[in-house]
Amino acid sequence: MTNETWEIGGKRLTSRMLIGSALYPSPANMEEAIKESEAQIVTVALRRQSAGEGGGNNFWDIIKELNINVLPNTAGCHSAKEAITTAQMAREVFGTNWIKLEVIGDQYNLQPDPFETVKAAEILVKEGFEVFPYTTDDLVVAKRLANVGCKILMPWGSPIGSGQGLMNPSNLKAIRKQFPDLKLIVDAGIGKPSDAVEAMQLGYDGILLNSAIALAQDPIKMAQAFKYATISGRLGYEAGTMQKREFASPSTPTVGTPFWHQFS
Amino acid sequence: MIKVSVNGEIKELQEGLNVSQMIETLNYKIKGFAVAINTTFVPIAKYEETIIKNNDTIDILAPVQGG
């Protein structure tokens, strides 16, 4: 394991994996998977709950006991206004100025609405939020989000919950190249550990995933797999990969090869 | 009495209640929640001074799982 730290939203962390808390087979399974992932940021949400429902809210008790950073989301919002109200409510409930800004523009592929996302981000940054905007891999939208003060960008790999991996690595690469100083997280679409490796090898600062772990046949084992994949991809990026070559090149020295031309 | 919508359900409340009194009347026991009235967030500091009005739409949100 690596002890190297990095910074995001004013916190120093060792893990570069952000994990979701939804869709697990049981609360106990969720708790164990989050622990095994060694993630230090967990995403949560706010929803209507009737009086008496939830018996004191076991879910929130479990999350609090994990003692890791909580990143509330604005999932399900379709306008800047809804997202801003949700963010304000989340700040009070969860006691954090972090917000995963999600403003959905299309119900079929849950693609973020770039116009409403930028509008909401601008206001939330002014209100003192640390905005983690969920966006597409569109470079111009990324620029607009950076211009309104976002220090973190979270482009999708592919649509939420699809597990399709990185649909457009070259767009993700372009965003990395344009914003060397922003924190970049691939959010959504990661399906298997090799997708996480790929995202990290592009130089992204981290990954955010939920379904890939929660919907695995063994979420706890998959949480471990993603932990190692994230570390592996980051180390690979830092180490610098070799240049591809068109032809084969022997790795074993040719000098001193035995039986040189003795068999023909 | 006034009629309000609380998390999508129509409820009858006594007239003139503030947000704290409304929470008490509804017997809302979830730990950690936030309130919005007519889509505007009402912070805890404003519970006492915010009076519930007829036809208000109230959302009470609490933590749940999220991705």
Side-chain angles (χ1 to χ4, degrees):
Chain A
M1 303 300 282
T2 170
N3 290 322
E4 193 204 336
T5 63
W6 67 299
E7 183 275 331
I8 187 163
K11 304 261 185 184
R12 289 218 74 84
L13 307 174
T14 48
S15 167
R16 290 176 176 272
M17 179 177 158
L18 290 71
I19 192 168
S21 58
L23 304 172
Y24 293 86
S26 69
N29 190 279
M30 173 197 75
E31 184 181 6
E32 200 53 33
I34 295 172
K35 280 182 186 165
E36 284 299 330
S37 75
E38 293 183 19
Q40 293 167 303
I41 300 177
V42 60
T43 57
V44 293
L46 281 177
R47 284 288 179 270
R48 287 172 166 178
Q49 278 183 27
S50 312
E53 193 183 310
N57 205 330
N58 291 335
F59 164 74
W60 184 219
D61 290 338
I62 293 171
I63 296 293
K64 278 190 287 189
E65 277 168 27
L66 289 168
N67 203 23
I68 58 175
N69 299 287
V70 168
L71 175 59
N73 69 28
T74 64
C77 291
H78 289 79
S79 68
K81 163 79 181 147
E82 277 174 73
I84 291 163
T85 301
T86 306
Q88 291 165 337
M89 296 173 88
R91 179 158 61 180
E92 185 177 88
V93 171
F94 297 109
T96 176
N97 69 336
W98 286 10
I99 192 72
K100 177 183 166 182
L101 177 62
E102 265 185 82
V103 187
I104 298 303
D106 183 82
Q107 220 32 55
Y108 175 69
N109 67 354
L110 299 179
Q111 183 166 335
D113 181 324
F115 310 100
E116 292 295 301
T117 302
V118 172
K119 203 195 289 179
E122 183 168 18
I123 293 166
L124 290 169
V125 167
K126 283 181 185 155
E127 288 190 8
F129 283 89
E130 188 71 65
V131 180
F132 293 58
Y134 166 58
T135 179
T136 60
D137 52 29
D138 187 301
L139 180 63
V140 178
V141 178
K143 277 185 181 176
R144 295 272 192 260
L145 288 165
N147 287 346
V148 299
C150 292
K151 302 279 183 283
I152 300 159
L153 299 176
M154 302 209 297
W156 68 359
S158 49
I160 295 173
S162 71
Q164 290 176 27
L166 310 188
M167 286 188 307
N168 203 333
S170 57
N171 275 16
L172 292 172
K173 221 184 283 180
I175 294 174
R176 178 70 286 177
K177 203 171 174 193
Q178 283 276 337
F179 302 105
D181 300 326
L182 296 191
K183 292 293 183 284
L184 300 182
I185 309 290
V186 170
D187 179 11
I190 287 176
K192 49 190 188 303
S194 56
D195 300 332
V197 173
E198 190 184 0
M200 296 306 293
Q201 282 180 168
L202 293 177
Y204 271 63
D205 296 283
I207 53 158
L208 195 165
L209 73 164
N210 191 158
S211 305
I213 292 176
L215 301 182
Q217 291 184 20
D218 184 342
I220 296 164
K221 195 170 272 185
M222 192 57 92
Q224 291 176 323
F226 272 105
K227 171 178 72 183
Y228 293 120
T230 308
I231 294 167
S232 173
R234 180 66 191 180
L235 289 175
Y237 168 72
E238 287 174 0
T241 49
M242 65 167 278
Q243 290 292 312
K244 275 188 186 175
R245 290 185 287 214
E246 205 167 326
F247 300 103
S249 176
S251 46
T252 305
T254 48
V255 175
T257 303
F259 321 122
W260 187 250
H261 289 180
Q262 289 179 39
F263 296 99
S264 53
Chain B
M1 298 295 274
I2 58 168
K3 274 191 183 173
V4 296
S5 160
V6 179
N7 286 349
E9 278 180 50
I10 303 298
K11 303 259 186 198
E12 283 204 341
L13 292 177
Q14 202 184 315
E15 208 173 338
L17 294 183
N18 63 30
V19 176
S20 298
Q21 291 164 330
M22 174 195 71
I23 298 289
E24 213 179 300
T25 306
L26 293 171
N27 200 21
Y28 203 85
K29 285 183 179 148
I30 301 280
K31 278 184 282 175
F33 59 83
V35 176
I37 300 178
N38 304 323
T39 72
T40 299
F41 168 56
V42 181
I44 293 171
K46 292 200 169 168
Y47 279 9
E48 303 301 322
E49 65 188 66
T50 306
I51 305 298
I52 309 297
K53 297 183 196 72
N54 195 33
N55 293 324
D56 273 350
T57 300
I58 297 149
D59 280 284
I60 306 176
L61 307 188
V64 295
Q65 300 85 334

